[in-house]
Amino acid sequence: MPPAQINEGLATLSDQLILVTVLLYLIAMIAYALELAFGRSRTAAAVKTRELVTVGAAGSDSSVAGSAADSAADAEGESRTTPVAPAGWAVKAGAVAVVISWLGWAANLAGLLTRGFAVDRWPWANMYEFVVALCFASVTAFLVLLTRQRIRFLGAFVTVTAALGLGFAVLFLHVQAGPVMPALNSYWIAIHVTAAIIAGGLFLVAGVCAVLYLVRNDGRMSVLPAKEQLDRIAHRAIVIAFPIWTFAVIAGALWADRAWGRYWGWDPKEVWSFITWIAYAAYLHARATAGWRGKAAMIVSLVAFACLLFNLVGVNIFFSGLHSYADVPK
């Protein structure tokens, strides 16, 4: 079979689109951060003022009422002297951030498609392409969940994570578009790797929630939502991702049998895929049987997420094996 022809124009366009994607994700992150910081600050100040007024109204004694009125006036004066952005402006910044996120998502998708068309194959056959696809999946997971749940507060953290991931891929993992080894020239790459990318994107959203849960300030003026909400979102993302990851592991075994004549060979990638599966299974088991919630569950999910990251990136960099085709630049 003659070597595949590389469309250099499309390959170059793909690289440019990924750079545009990084820029758009960073702009979206800034807009999300503006809404997160200013919008929630104003809301918290308004709640505090209403609470003071309510406490004052509950007292029947006129002196208590007068004292409460003075407290409310003081609180109102404090709100006037504290620079707080208009809530409407902050909400608009969040809405703009969503639009920019979709534009970045479209550029990310276009970068993947042009890379695939440039070499006439699925565009996730090496480490650079896989990380680009994983960042795309994480933003996709966030945007899809956003249509069903009020999780816009996660936007700043998901988009900055995706931007950093793409930046890392461009700076340290980028390789020129080209053909792949025969073992990868199979429809199984569309089945096994696609499932791993989708699950990885959902796991990344859950990992962001877990980190935010552990660093969240319990104070009333915190710009982050309640810990219970973060715990709930992380759990739902893992519940969706876990069966997809399970399918990816099984599909990988079937692909291994077709490519190398065995289902399991203790290759480092196979081992760490299974370790990751066990870690997330432990998280789900702990919640379902032992009733783990809160900090303990979040720590287990972060351990599982660390296993996932090492499996997706570390194994390809630090180990040699049948999965050493990741083309990581030395």
Side-chain angles (χ1 to χ4, degrees):
M1 179 180 294
Q5 296 293 321
I6 309 301
N7 189 320
E8 298 294 344
L10 284 179
T12 301
L13 177 60
S14 174
D15 294 341
Q16 293 171 344
L17 285 169
I18 297 304
L19 293 177
V20 171
T21 302
V22 174
L23 178 61
L24 288 172
Y25 284 162
L26 288 175
I27 295 173
M29 180 271 295
I30 294 172
Y32 282 123
L34 289 174
E35 180 191 32
L36 192 64
F38 295 113
R40 284 186 173 269
S41 296
R42 179 180 176 86
T43 300
V47 169
K48 182 177 180 181
T49 301
R50 285 198 301 270
E51 288 176 348
L52 288 171
V53 173
T54 301
V55 170
S60 58
D61 188 88
S62 60
S63 61
V64 176
S67 177
D70 292 340
S71 298
D74 292 341
E76 184 179 358
E78 182 181 352
S79 297
R80 283 197 299 265
T81 58
T82 303
V84 178
W89 177 86
V91 171
K92 289 180 181 178
V96 170
V98 174
V99 174
I100 298 175
S101 296
W102 278 108
L103 292 176
W105 177 89
N108 203 159
L109 175 61
L112 282 170
L113 292 177
T114 50
R115 177 87 171 190
F117 288 135
V119 292
D120 194 26
R121 59 169 173 79
W122 288 90
W124 35 75
N126 54 59
M127 201 66 236
Y128 167 76
E129 295 171 357
F130 188 88
V131 172
V132 171
L134 182 63
C135 293
F136 171 76
S138 65
V139 176
T140 301
F142 164 71
L143 291 174
V144 170
L145 291 173
L146 184 62
T147 64
R148 304 181 62 86
Q149 303 180 48
R150 300 180 64 180
I151 60 169
R152 203 156 76 185
F153 63 88
L154 284 178
F157 306 99
V158 173
T159 51
V160 73
T161 301
L164 291 175
L166 290 175
F168 177 80
V170 170
L171 292 176
F172 302 107
L173 302 177
H174 182 268
V175 293
Q176 296 299 320
V180 296
M181 62 182 295
L184 293 181
N185 191 18
S186 167
Y187 61 86
W188 279 106
I189 195 173
I191 300 174
H192 165 63
V193 183
T194 300
I197 289 171
I198 294 172
L202 287 164
F203 283 143
L204 190 147
V205 172
V208 169
C209 287
V211 171
L212 294 179
Y213 183 99
L214 295 179
V215 303
R216 185 191 184 280
N217 184 353
D218 285 322
R220 306 194 58 147
M221 302 295 287
S222 174
V223 299
L224 295 175
K227 287 186 173 182
E228 292 75 14
Q229 185 178 3
L230 292 169
D231 180 72
R232 184 171 59 253
I233 295 170
H235 179 245
R236 288 177 179 175
I238 293 174
V239 166
I240 297 172
F242 183 74
I244 302 175
W245 183 260
T246 302
F247 172 77
V249 173
I250 295 173
L254 296 174
W255 186 9
D257 179 63
R258 185 179 182 88
W260 299 301
R262 90 290 186 279
Y263 293 101
W264 190 267
W266 298 103
D267 183 77
K269 179 69 75 172
E270 296 170 348
V271 171
W272 277 95
S273 295
F274 185 57
I275 291 174
T276 301
W277 185 89
I278 291 177
Y280 278 111
Y283 164 82
L284 293 173
H285 180 75
R287 286 188 64 106
T289 61
W292 283 24
R293 297 290 189 276
K295 185 176 181 180
M298 290 296 97
I299 291 176
V300 175
S301 72
L302 279 180
V303 170
F305 185 60
C307 293
L308 174 75
L309 290 181
F310 187 77
N311 175 54
L312 298 181
V313 180
V315 169
N316 296 89
I317 296 176
F318 300 112
F319 292 93
S320 60
L322 292 174
H323 290 79
S324 298
Y325 48 71
D327 292 337
V328 179
K330 303 299 183 182

